[in-house]
Amino acid sequence: MATDDLMTKVLDALGDAQPTVEAIHDLTDLAEVPSSMTIAEVADRLALSAHTLRYYERAGLVTVARDSQGHRVYDADAVRRLVFLTRMRLSGMSMRELQHYIELVDAGEHTVPERMAMLAEHRDTIVRRLRELTLSLAAVDYKITTYGGATGSDVERRPSRDAAA
Amino acid sequence: MATDDLMTKVLDALGDAQPTVEAIHDLTDLAEVPSSMTIAEVADRLALSAHTLRYYERAGLVTVARDSQGHRVYDADAVRRLVFLTRMRLSGMSMRELQHYIELVDAGEHTVPERMAMLAEHRDTIVRRLRELTLSLAAVDYKITTYGGATGSDVERRPSRDAAA
DNA sequence: CTAGGACTTCGAGCGCGCTCTAACGCAAAT
DNA sequence: ATTTGCGTTAGAGCGCGCTCGAAGTCCTAG
């Protein structure tokens, strides 16, 4: 996923600081969003391909105006929406869910509660995934520190023979 | 992924405790591994489908003996290997990588250094993903707490108008 | 005048990880 | 005797999220 590169950038920018709400807020406008950008500029900025940007548009996730030559012109709102979309994709929200979310956004203010519910549910998904990964990390660490190669998840209590192949 | 259910079980078993090396070790043999199991029993235990188990076997990740009727008989080693494989899949290691890892295991002790390197690299991948998710979580929290619905990642500094749709 | 380069659309193709179907075998239960 | 149930195989199919190719348009530089 080309999208991963954006997170690399962001993490680099963060350094080792714990991400806080404030940090996120700052990240949002690390650089000002120009009032309009070409597809190449947006692709570069979000670290995804022009192909992907067109794909997102086809999928109904953004609407993008055209200039006199029929070329896409991304305004600041479109770019901000794409930043949001990219973040959500990266955190594991599916295209389908994002399409639904965007439908809600486009449907108006009265859908705010449902949007909140989606975000809350997604939050839970992220938390769950964090716990899974933390556990996996511990498991891998265990494997590295105690032996280092066999597939049996438990190394022999008494290393009389090699762990199961 | 059906595999997710296993982690659900494991997380439930863990409760809110921080996963530690010891906890992982205990988890490994939460229940004793019988000396042989049918495909249905293994599927049930690992919370993945019999289809998937056959698929893993076809992919060369495990070797499974047959009984007189040609039915699969999973011995303890096979089950332990599958526990390992499931864990690694869940933590994001690809089938391709696992195939390589298993080749190394089957190739003998002299591949231990390379296996260690793979594990270490995978460990880094997990850590990176944890950081990404932590950041995403902060972003989602930010969105939930500050506004709750628009796609613009930054809500207006002064909420004069609605954030970008 | 021509070549290059960035863009357009439409639609096909791909890699991954399963997931399922069809047709069949065997054994115990009715 | 047949139904039920659990297993087998080979191979096709699917959902996802891109990713790419072909053919064409337009502008600019040489």
Side-chain angles (χ1 to χ4, degrees):
Chain A
M1 210 191 289
T3 302
D4 290 348
D5 301 334
L6 175 64
M7 189 56 85
T8 304
K9 279 187 189 172
V10 168
L11 287 175
D12 286 352
L14 258 186
D16 283 334
Q18 269 308 311
T20 63
V21 160
E22 292 71 32
I24 296 299
H25 185 239
D26 291 348
L27 280 172
T28 301
D29 28 44
L30 262 181
E32 293 302 310
V33 178
S35 64
S36 87
M37 296 174 79
T38 67
I39 194 169
E41 287 163 350
V42 176
D44 190 60
R45 190 179 194 109
L46 301 188
L48 30 82
S49 72
H51 284 303
T52 300
L53 287 173
R54 293 190 198 101
Y55 165 69
Y56 284 178
E57 185 179 351
R58 263 191 287 179
L61 296 181
V62 258
T63 306
V64 185
R66 304 298 145 108
D67 66 12
S68 59
Q69 282 120 76
H71 290 194
R72 285 171 178 78
V73 178
Y74 289 85
D75 62 18
D77 282 355
V79 174
R80 275 193 291 265
R81 178 175 282 196
L82 284 166
V83 168
F84 169 76
L85 293 169
T86 304
R87 237 206 264 301
M88 296 308 265
R89 287 290 305 115
L90 203 50
S91 65
M93 186 172 277
S94 69
M95 288 297 288
R96 186 180 296 272
E97 283 173 297
L98 280 174
Q99 284 168 339
H100 184 205
Y101 189 91
I102 291 302
E103 277 172 19
L104 293 176
V105 170
D106 292 347
E109 285 304 302
H110 67 283
T111 64
V112 166
E114 190 175 347
R115 291 183 228 167
M116 287 294 285
M118 285 190 73
L119 290 177
E121 189 177 327
H122 186 58
R123 198 206 113 97
D124 289 348
T125 302
I126 295 173
V127 169
R128 181 161 160 283
R129 193 84 249 275
L130 276 170
R131 278 163 58 70
E132 288 176 4
L133 279 183
T134 303
L135 184 56
S136 295
L137 179 62
V140 171
D141 279 345
Y142 173 71
K143 206 166 176 55
I144 290 176
T145 60
T146 58
Y147 175 66
T151 59
S153 44
D154 58 343
V155 174
E156 308 285 326
R157 271 138 208 67
R158 286 152 208 160
S160 49
R161 281 190 225 170
D162 277 358
Chain B
M1 212 190 290
T3 301
D4 290 350
D5 301 335
L6 175 64
M7 189 53 86
T8 304
K9 281 186 188 171
V10 168
L11 287 176
D12 287 353
L14 257 187
D16 283 334
Q18 270 308 313
T20 63
V21 160
E22 291 72 32
I24 296 300
H25 186 239
D26 291 348
L27 280 172
T28 300
D29 28 43
L30 261 181
E32 292 303 310
V33 177
S35 64
S36 87
M37 297 175 78
T38 67
I39 195 168
E41 288 163 349
V42 176
D44 190 61
R45 190 179 195 108
L46 301 189
L48 31 82
S49 72
H51 285 304
T52 301
L53 287 173
R54 294 191 197 100
Y55 166 68
Y56 284 179
E57 186 179 350
R58 263 192 288 179
L61 296 181
V62 258
T63 305
V64 186
R66 304 299 143 108
D67 66 12
S68 59
Q69 282 120 76
H71 290 195
R72 284 171 179 79
V73 178
Y74 290 85
D75 63 17
D77 282 354
V79 173
R80 275 194 291 267
R81 179 175 280 195
L82 284 166
V83 168
F84 168 75
L85 292 169
T86 305
R87 236 207 264 303
M88 295 308 264
R89 286 290 306 116
L90 203 50
S91 65
M93 186 173 276
S94 69
M95 289 296 289
R96 186 180 297 272
E97 283 174 297
L98 279 173
Q99 284 168 338
H100 184 206
Y101 188 91
I102 291 302
E103 276 172 18
L104 293 176
V105 170
D106 293 347
E109 285 305 302
H110 68 283
T111 64
V112 166
E114 190 174 347
R115 292 182 227 167
M116 288 293 284
M118 285 190 74
L119 290 177
E121 188 177 329
H122 186 58
R123 197 207 114 97
D124 288 349
T125 303
I126 295 173
V127 169
R128 181 161 161 282
R129 192 86 251 273
L130 276 170
R131 279 162 60 67
E132 288 175 4
L133 278 184
T134 303
L135 184 56
S136 294
L137 179 60
V140 171
D141 279 345
Y142 174 71
K143 206 166 176 56
I144 290 176
T145 59
T146 57
Y147 175 67
T151 58
S153 46
D154 57 343
V155 173
E156 307 285 325
R157 273 137 203 68
R158 285 150 210 166
S160 49
R161 282 191 225 170
D162 277 356

